Amino acid sequence: MRQSWWKILTIALLLYTLIAGLLMDVPRLPILNETIRALHFHVTMWFGMILMLVVSVFYSIKYLRTNDIKNDDMAIEFAGAAILFGVLGIVTGMLWAKFTWGDYWSGDPKQNAAAIGILMYFAYLILRNSLTDTQQRARIGAIYNIFAFAAFIPLIFVLPRLTDSLHPGNGGNPGFNAYDLDSKLRMVFYPAIIGWTLLGSWIATVRVRMRRVERILEDRMINS
Amino acid sequence: MLKEISILIQKELTLEWRQKYALNGILLYVVSAVFITYLSVGAKQGNISSPTWNALYWIIILFSAVNAVAKSFVQEHQGRQLYYYMIASPESIILSKIIYNTGLTLVLALLGYGVFSIILGNPVLDQGLFLLNLILGAMGFSASLTMVSGIASKAGNNATLMAILSFPVIIPILLMAIRISKNAMDGLDWSVSADKIISLFAINAIVAAAAYILFPYLWRS
């Protein structure tokens, strides 16, 4: 994780996302107009969040199998970065909704599901903080992390599809795929997903290393 | 394993019967909650609109279920849990508790339904669908709440933790159950609700499977 090539790639991708996402020509769709640029900054947050939650759950499972505290460091920090992305996703979404739907909160099923997801992971943080023993905190945190993820998946992928959503592409609203998202948008959208996700992983790995350094310092202090 | 589960369920029943105050307490909780709701909304019989009836009913069932299931790992102290740990497998313990709590939640839901029908009126047109939905809802509530109460009991089990951990997990189940129950109240054809019933069942299965796989790790610690 200490190699630098992927950090350079992150910066390059994000610079590209910022410049191309804000300046490039975009298709004019009714209602959406220029706000379609939110695709690169709002929608990508969700992709980044889901990918990092998957990583977090993966390390939680690994922790339960190995009981190695290093896996728990990865799980909590990736969950933390995912929560940051989730909050940013909700805030950017609310700003966008104000200009397209007219309200910060319109009770859209995807909005509600995202808010519930955030509640779930805040509860995860509180649960961890309520436990004092490191190994027990790691174990019970991992169990709740996996359990919450199992409930989170139907929440965001299944339920919003059962009712009409105001989101572009749902319920007759002009969407990206419906009008054939032209390849120009895709050229920014996909790199943006990779760029934001890599930025989140970068934040998470830096914090994991800080955690490990702190643990070693603590051990040294106790043993000296 | 089946034998082990049935013995454990019998044990739960016997324990519940010996400490009747807990069971009676939760039953009284449902009745008083419904009565408080009735007084607060100021509804004369049949005067309340059916979406409101539906929402109030499910909220009351949710809170009663949280209270009823929360005690499933609390009432037995550490020493006895250690004893179960030695004689039974964790899988049969979680399954027996889920099955027992499904029954308990179903009893609460039926009692709530009865009291609601008497004092707030009964707007349900399709009783069969409503009851099927109650059974599925009770299964989902009990699977997620039993697992969460196990987690909360390890963390000093305070009531706040139980609530914040369980509410977000239970919302998908609650939302599906409320939608199906609305269809049952309007007497819509079963084909309209079929996909919702299947998704509710699928969510239950996911949650129960996750609880079944994860509980042994929780039990060991």
Side-chain angles (χ1 to χ4, degrees), chain A residues 15 31 40 49 98 107 109 123-124 134 149 153-154 162-163 167 192 197 202 216 223:
Chain A
L15 273 178
I31 312 172
H40 312 309
M49 183 184 87
K98 177 70 182 165
Y124 168 63
T134 327
F149 189 74
I153 291 304
L162 288 178
T163 40
H167 269 85
T197 311
W202 190 353
I216 291 169
N223 293 331

Side-chain angles (χ1 to χ4, degrees), chain A residues 38 66 68 78 105 135 144 191 215:
Chain A
T66 60
D68 183 358
F78 269 93
W105 204 267
Q135 287 289 346
Y144 186 72
R215 188 171 305 126

Side-chain angles (χ1 to χ4, degrees), chain A residues 116 120 139-140 143-144 150 159, chain B residues 154 165 168 171 176 217 221:
Chain A
I116 297 162
M120 217 176 255
R139 173 180 286 267
I140 291 173
I143 292 168
Y144 186 72
L159 290 186
Chain B
K154 293 285 174 189
L165 291 178
I171 286 176
M176 292 313 297
Y217 293 98
S221 66

Side-chain angles (χ1 to χ4, degrees), chain A residues 1-4 6-7 59 74 78 201 205 209:
Chain A
M1 274 302 186
R2 269 172 223 147
Q3 291 111 337
S4 52
W6 63 278
K7 292 171 185 167
Y59 277 103
M74 296 292 275
F78 269 93
S201 317
T205 46
R209 277 155 66 189

Side-chain angles (χ1 to χ4, degrees), chain A residues 64-65 116 119-120 123-124 126-127 130-131 136 139-140 143-144 146-148 150-151 154-155 158-159 162-163, chain B residues 144 147-148 151 154-155 161 164-165 168-169 171-172 175-176 179 195 199 203 206-207 210-211 214 217-218 221:
Chain A
L64 287 182
R65 290 183 160 272
I116 297 162
L119 285 183
M120 217 176 255
Y124 168 63
I126 291 177
L127 171 70
S130 77
L131 294 156
Q136 202 192 20
R139 173 180 286 267
I140 291 173
I143 292 168
Y144 186 72
I146 301 169
F147 192 62
L155 186 70
V158 181
L159 290 186
L162 288 178
T163 40
Chain B
S144 43
M147 184 62 193
V148 168
I151 293 176
K154 293 285 174 189
L161 207 56
I164 58 168
L165 291 178
V169 174
I171 286 176
L175 286 181
M176 292 313 297
R179 284 205 191 118
D195 58 333
S199 1
I203 298 174
I206 292 174
V207 172
L214 290 171
Y217 293 98
L218 186 70
S221 66

